[in-house]
Amino acid sequence: MKNEVIEKLVFAQKSKTELIDETIISLQALLHKTFIEEDSRILKKEFPKNTHPKDLRIKLDNVIIHIESLYSPELSIEVILDIFLKKHNSELGTYSYIFNEKGDFIDDLLVMN
C-alpha cells in the first residue's frame, strides 16, 4: 500500500495536524506546570539550572504509525517532539504523545537527555 492510502485510513478520525497540535498543547501545559506551578517543581530539576520556558524550542521530530507493538496489538499513532535549549541549540529531550486508531489519548512519555 502506498503511504497516502495508509495515512488516509489511519487519520480518518483525526487529522495528523490535529494530533500534532494536541501533542504540542500537552507539552506546553506540562512545561507551564513544571516552571510556573509551585507543587510540581520536581521535573524542573531535569532541566539545566536557571532554564525558563522562553529558553526552550519545540520541534516536530516524527509521527509514527505503529501497526502492532510489544506494548499493544492494536494500531497506535505516536507524535514525537524534540525539546531544545535555544541558546545552545542543544537537544534536552523528547516528548511523545500516543493515540489509538480513533485519535484518543493513550499515553505520554518525556525522556530527558
Side-chain angles (χ1 to χ4, degrees):
M1 270 194 199
K2 291 190 171 205
N3 285 349
E4 297 160 356
V5 175
I6 293 170
E7 285 195 13
K8 193 171 187 173
L9 292 171
V10 171
F11 300 111
Q13 300 289 325
K14 282 189 181 175
S15 73
K16 187 188 293 188
T17 302
E18 288 174 307
L19 299 180
I20 292 168
D21 288 346
E22 283 185 39
T23 305
I24 291 169
I25 290 167
S26 175
L27 176 57
Q28 289 174 332
L30 177 65
L31 293 174
H32 175 77
K33 186 174 183 176
T34 299
F35 289 101
I36 307 301
E37 295 180 14
E38 293 295 325
D39 61 338
S40 113
R41 299 285 175 133
I42 296 169
L43 184 57
K44 187 174 181 179
K45 294 176 184 175
E46 297 293 322
F47 291 87
K49 195 171 186 170
N50 297 322
T51 299
H52 301 283
K54 64 179 170 52
D55 301 330
L56 302 175
R57 181 172 60 89
I58 299 168
K59 178 184 165 227
L60 175 64
D61 181 345
N62 212 342
V63 177
I64 301 171
I65 300 168
H66 299 280
I67 304 299
E68 190 174 311
S69 72
L70 293 172
Y71 306 108
S72 173
E74 305 295 321
L75 183 136
S76 62
I77 305 157
E78 180 178 11
V79 178
I80 305 168
L81 302 175
D82 292 329
I83 305 166
F84 289 90
L85 194 57
K86 284 182 187 176
K87 189 175 183 179
H88 303 288
N89 201 31
S90 58
E91 186 176 337
L92 297 176
T94 59
Y95 181 73
S96 294
Y97 213 62
I98 302 166
F99 302 89
N100 66 15
E101 71 280 354
K102 295 178 184 174
D104 297 327
F105 170 76
I106 296 175
D107 200 4
D108 63 343
L109 177 66
L110 175 66
V111 178
M112 300 299 291
N113 297 337

